[in-house]
Amino acid sequence: MAHRSSTQTSISATPTNRLANIKGHMDGANPTVFTSENVPQAPEDPLFGLMAAYRKDNFEKKVDLGIGAYRDNNAKPWVLPVVKRADERLREDPNLNHEYLPIAGLPEFTSAAQKLILGASSPAIKEKRVVSLQTISGTGAVHLGALFLSKFYPRRTDQPVYFSSPTWANHNQIFSNVHLPIKTYPYFSPQTKGLDFEGMRSTIEQAPEGSIMLLHACAHNPTGVDPTREQWKELSKIIRAKNHFPFFDCAYQGFASGSLENDAWAVRYFVDQGFELCIAQSFAKNFGLYGERAGAFHFVTGAGSDAQNTIARIGSQLAILQRSEISNPPAYGARIASLVLNDPELFTEWEANLRTMSGRIIDMRTALRENLEKLGTPGSWKHITEQIGMFSFTGLTEKQVLKVREDAHVYMTKNGRISMAGLNTGNVEYVAKAMDKVVRETN
């Protein structure tokens, strides 16, 4: 109690806190040590703030291009038909219960997830030098990996974690929370609205040896711009030469191109090259299991005579970290995904569902570009169809984004990113006209 008392005395030392304490006593309330000086008001999450503003908007033709979730052509959430079938099987299973899963998760889910991202014939799987844990979707996987690296990765010269600029906003918060220093490598070129490969390559090459490189496996968020296979090969040579540690974030396998194999190519190539690496894998987008939080974290160690002992040690520490954070992952989403991944018939149906989603998004890219070009909207819009996946970096400025929201009730993030899933045959022309107007009238 002496320690707590001295802490409270120290915290209460400022004039502001003394006044707060006096006011608290006068009001008959207990004063708090968690004053605004100690716990400042955090800013609202920009994306969720955007969603809240959209919901409050009563305009009939409003359009939500902010949300990172698939919508069908009627702007409705789409429960994948294969997920409905798997759900029916689960409910009809007389042995279904609500017991705890193991700390590492549902074994038949993690083993199937491992094969999905690495390939069933992966040398890493055959040589038993992979460990996989079920996580709270991709966010939990990134966090578990960040936590493990902050605790165990030998950063003798305080090497940072490098992200692309821009990247998924949560990357910054997750790695900051585990006290790893952050730097960025160039990624998006505002001039070409494509990949700044030279900037990316040179920064990775000049980074301190042994830095952690966070890489988007496919369908880069937020830009929709991916390296080519030849560019991935060149990056792998640089990362190898500098002894960097690759950390892949894969949130869109199968959803990006419609091909599970194609979207996993970069990860598999790095594994085939013998890299030690880790992977955060999400099943939110490709299964539509957004709220069920199904994901996996995979650690692949390098080949060697002691590889199995190494991966056992790594797995043991990951389990301790997992136990202290969530104890056990949730069962429902993993059971759904596991049924589909392990049943050939359901798996084939799932691949068809993936092609439906990715195909509709590709169609919307084509439609938006065609409408903008038909209107003669200033600038080039070929990047709309050259980018891939759920998101597109339109090139609109923050001023234009705010103006199109005010005038046309079209909602997108301030950096000009739009979710292609928010477009449909009923609103794409309206959105194109709104963009055309704001590009012409607002610098």
Side-chain angles (χ1 to χ4, degrees), residues 86-102:
D87 183 54
E88 289 171 4
R89 285 195 193 180
L90 269 182
R91 287 187 283 107
E92 292 170 359
D93 183 355
N95 297 315
L96 181 66
N97 58 54
H98 299 285
E99 295 295 299
Y100 290 123
L101 293 182

mmCIF file of all heavy atoms in Angstrom, residues 86-102:
data_model
loop_
_atom_site.group_PDB
_atom_site.id
_atom_site.type_symbol
_atom_site.label_atom_id
_atom_site.label_comp_id
_atom_site.label_asym_id
_atom_site.label_seq_id
_atom_site.Cartn_x
_atom_site.Cartn_y
_atom_site.Cartn_z
ATOM 1 N N ALA A 86 -21.791 -25.449 -44.472
ATOM 2 C CA ALA A 86 -20.958 -25.884 -43.355
ATOM 3 C C ALA A 86 -21.652 -25.623 -42.025
ATOM 4 O O ALA A 86 -21.585 -26.448 -41.100
ATOM 5 C CB ALA A 86 -19.607 -25.168 -43.398
ATOM 6 N N ASP A 87 -22.332 -24.495 -41.945
ATOM 7 C CA ASP A 87 -23.057 -24.159 -40.718
ATOM 8 C C ASP A 87 -24.162 -25.172 -40.439
ATOM 9 O O ASP A 87 -24.385 -25.589 -39.290
ATOM 10 C CB ASP A 87 -23.639 -22.751 -40.850
ATOM 11 C CG ASP A 87 -24.354 -22.301 -39.588
ATOM 12 O OD1 ASP A 87 -23.734 -22.349 -38.518
ATOM 13 O OD2 ASP A 87 -25.537 -21.911 -39.684
ATOM 14 N N GLU A 88 -24.871 -25.590 -41.490
ATOM 15 C CA GLU A 88 -25.921 -26.604 -41.325
ATOM 16 C C GLU A 88 -25.335 -27.916 -40.815
ATOM 17 O O GLU A 88 -25.901 -28.572 -39.942
ATOM 18 C CB GLU A 88 -26.653 -26.818 -42.649
ATOM 19 C CG GLU A 88 -27.542 -25.648 -43.059
ATOM 20 C CD GLU A 88 -28.073 -25.789 -44.473
ATOM 21 O OE1 GLU A 88 -27.797 -26.842 -45.113
ATOM 22 O OE2 GLU A 88 -28.755 -24.859 -44.948
ATOM 23 N N ARG A 89 -24.199 -28.301 -41.359
ATOM 24 C CA ARG A 89 -23.551 -29.538 -40.898
ATOM 25 C C ARG A 89 -23.168 -29.439 -39.427
ATOM 26 O O ARG A 89 -23.323 -30.403 -38.665
ATOM 27 C CB ARG A 89 -22.309 -29.823 -41.735
ATOM 28 C CG ARG A 89 -22.605 -30.344 -43.122
ATOM 29 C CD ARG A 89 -21.345 -30.945 -43.731
ATOM 30 N NE ARG A 89 -21.479 -31.175 -45.156
ATOM 31 C CZ ARG A 89 -20.529 -31.691 -45.923
ATOM 32 N NH1 ARG A 89 -19.356 -32.017 -45.383
ATOM 33 N NH2 ARG A 89 -20.725 -31.873 -47.220
ATOM 34 N N LEU A 90 -22.659 -28.296 -39.052
ATOM 35 C CA LEU A 90 -22.267 -28.118 -37.652
ATOM 36 C C LEU A 90 -23.467 -28.267 -36.725
ATOM 37 O O LEU A 90 -23.399 -28.959 -35.707
ATOM 38 C CB LEU A 90 -21.652 -26.720 -37.455
ATOM 39 C CG LEU A 90 -20.144 -26.560 -37.620
ATOM 40 C CD1 LEU A 90 -19.749 -25.118 -37.326
ATOM 41 C CD2 LEU A 90 -19.389 -27.501 -36.692
ATOM 42 N N ARG A 91 -24.556 -27.605 -37.074
ATOM 43 C CA ARG A 91 -25.742 -27.629 -36.206
ATOM 44 C C ARG A 91 -26.370 -29.014 -36.119
ATOM 45 O O ARG A 91 -27.033 -29.336 -35.143
ATOM 46 C CB ARG A 91 -26.762 -26.595 -36.684
ATOM 47 C CG ARG A 91 -26.340 -25.165 -36.367
ATOM 48 C CD ARG A 91 -27.394 -24.129 -36.684
ATOM 49 N NE ARG A 91 -27.479 -23.829 -38.113
ATOM 50 C CZ ARG A 91 -28.445 -24.216 -38.912
ATOM 51 N NH1 ARG A 91 -29.427 -24.964 -38.448
ATOM 52 N NH2 ARG A 91 -28.446 -23.887 -40.195
ATOM 53 N N GLU A 92 -26.172 -29.804 -37.162
ATOM 54 C CA GLU A 92 -26.739 -31.149 -37.163
ATOM 55 C C GLU A 92 -25.829 -32.180 -36.504
ATOM 56 O O GLU A 92 -26.214 -33.347 -36.338
ATOM 57 C CB GLU A 92 -27.022 -31.578 -38.610
ATOM 58 C CG GLU A 92 -28.142 -30.775 -39.270
ATOM 59 C CD GLU A 92 -28.243 -31.035 -40.768
ATOM 60 O OE1 GLU A 92 -27.425 -31.832 -41.282
ATOM 61 O OE2 GLU A 92 -29.125 -30.437 -41.417
ATOM 62 N N ASP A 93 -24.638 -31.772 -36.110
ATOM 63 C CA ASP A 93 -23.680 -32.690 -35.494
ATOM 64 C C ASP A 93 -24.075 -32.944 -34.040
ATOM 65 O O ASP A 93 -24.034 -32.023 -33.214
ATOM 66 C CB ASP A 93 -22.280 -32.083 -35.558
ATOM 67 C CG ASP A 93 -21.213 -33.019 -35.009
ATOM 68 O OD1 ASP A 93 -21.557 -34.098 -34.489
ATOM 69 O OD2 ASP A 93 -20.016 -32.658 -35.090
ATOM 70 N N PRO A 94 -24.461 -34.168 -33.682
ATOM 71 C CA PRO A 94 -24.890 -34.444 -32.305
ATOM 72 C C PRO A 94 -23.764 -34.311 -31.286
ATOM 73 O O PRO A 94 -24.033 -34.203 -30.075
ATOM 74 C CB PRO A 94 -25.394 -35.895 -32.379
ATOM 75 C CG PRO A 94 -24.664 -36.483 -33.548
ATOM 76 C CD PRO A 94 -24.494 -35.373 -34.521
ATOM 77 N N ASN A 95 -22.531 -34.311 -31.754
ATOM 78 C CA ASN A 95 -21.391 -34.212 -30.841
ATOM 79 C C ASN A 95 -20.881 -32.780 -30.664
ATOM 80 O O ASN A 95 -19.885 -32.566 -29.958
ATOM 81 C CB ASN A 95 -20.237 -35.083 -31.349
ATOM 82 C CG ASN A 95 -20.610 -36.558 -31.369
ATOM 83 O OD1 ASN A 95 -21.185 -37.078 -30.416
ATOM 84 N ND2 ASN A 95 -20.303 -37.231 -32.475
ATOM 85 N N LEU A 96 -21.560 -31.816 -31.282
ATOM 86 C CA LEU A 96 -21.138 -30.428 -31.166
ATOM 87 C C LEU A 96 -21.264 -29.966 -29.718
ATOM 88 O O LEU A 96 -22.280 -30.212 -29.051
ATOM 89 C CB LEU A 96 -22.003 -29.546 -32.063
ATOM 90 C CG LEU A 96 -21.660 -28.049 -32.066
ATOM 91 C CD1 LEU A 96 -20.283 -27.821 -32.676
ATOM 92 C CD2 LEU A 96 -22.731 -27.261 -32.808
ATOM 93 N N ASN A 97 -20.222 -29.319 -29.218
ATOM 94 C CA ASN A 97 -20.262 -28.791 -27.854
ATOM 95 C C ASN A 97 -19.575 -27.433 -27.815
ATOM 96 O O ASN A 97 -19.126 -26.919 -28.837
ATOM 97 C CB ASN A 97 -19.596 -29.769 -26.877
ATOM 98 C CG ASN A 97 -18.151 -30.063 -27.240
ATOM 99 O OD1 ASN A 97 -17.343 -29.145 -27.406
ATOM 100 N ND2 ASN A 97 -17.818 -31.350 -27.392
ATOM 101 N N HIS A 98 -19.518 -26.878 -26.626
ATOM 102 C CA HIS A 98 -18.925 -25.554 -26.451
ATOM 103 C C HIS A 98 -17.742 -25.599 -25.492
ATOM 104 O O HIS A 98 -17.493 -24.644 -24.750
ATOM 105 C CB HIS A 98 -19.984 -24.560 -25.962
ATOM 106 C CG HIS A 98 -21.119 -24.389 -26.922
ATOM 107 N ND1 HIS A 98 -21.004 -23.668 -28.094
ATOM 108 C CD2 HIS A 98 -22.381 -24.893 -26.904
ATOM 109 C CE1 HIS A 98 -22.165 -23.721 -28.754
ATOM 110 N NE2 HIS A 98 -23.001 -24.454 -28.060
ATOM 111 N N GLU A 99 -17.013 -26.695 -25.543
ATOM 112 C CA GLU A 99 -15.826 -26.838 -24.705
ATOM 113 C C GLU A 99 -14.696 -25.944 -25.221
ATOM 114 O O GLU A 99 -14.709 -25.492 -26.355
ATOM 115 C CB GLU A 99 -15.352 -28.298 -24.705
ATOM 116 C CG GLU A 99 -16.341 -29.267 -24.057
ATOM 117 C CD GLU A 99 -16.509 -28.993 -22.577
ATOM 118 O OE1 GLU A 99 -15.495 -29.091 -21.841
ATOM 119 O OE2 GLU A 99 -17.629 -28.648 -22.163
ATOM 120 N N TYR A 100 -13.721 -25.713 -24.344
ATOM 121 C CA TYR A 100 -12.544 -24.949 -24.753
ATOM 122 C C TYR A 100 -11.786 -25.662 -25.868
ATOM 123 O O TYR A 100 -11.661 -26.886 -25.859
ATOM 124 C CB TYR A 100 -11.568 -24.792 -23.580
ATOM 125 C CG TYR A 100 -12.015 -23.885 -22.470
ATOM 126 C CD1 TYR A 100 -12.101 -24.360 -21.165
ATOM 127 C CD2 TYR A 100 -12.309 -22.547 -22.706
ATOM 128 C CE1 TYR A 100 -12.489 -23.535 -20.116
ATOM 129 C CE2 TYR A 100 -12.698 -21.710 -21.669
ATOM 130 C CZ TYR A 100 -12.782 -22.214 -20.376
ATOM 131 O OH TYR A 100 -13.160 -21.384 -19.351
ATOM 132 N N LEU A 101 -11.265 -24.879 -26.796
ATOM 133 C CA LEU A 101 -10.296 -25.410 -27.739
ATOM 134 C C LEU A 101 -8.922 -25.465 -27.058
ATOM 135 O O LEU A 101 -8.707 -24.807 -26.049
ATOM 136 C CB LEU A 101 -10.200 -24.517 -28.976
ATOM 137 C CG LEU A 101 -11.422 -24.431 -29.897
ATOM 138 C CD1 LEU A 101 -11.097 -23.533 -31.091
ATOM 139 C CD2 LEU A 101 -11.859 -25.797 -30.376
ATOM 140 N N PRO A 102 -7.972 -26.229 -27.599
ATOM 141 C CA PRO A 102 -6.602 -26.166 -27.085
ATOM 142 C C PRO A 102 -6.040 -24.752 -27.225
ATOM 143 O O PRO A 102 -6.553 -23.936 -28.000
ATOM 144 C CB PRO A 102 -5.842 -27.148 -27.981
ATOM 145 C CG PRO A 102 -6.890 -28.061 -28.533
ATOM 146 C CD PRO A 102 -8.125 -27.223 -28.676
#
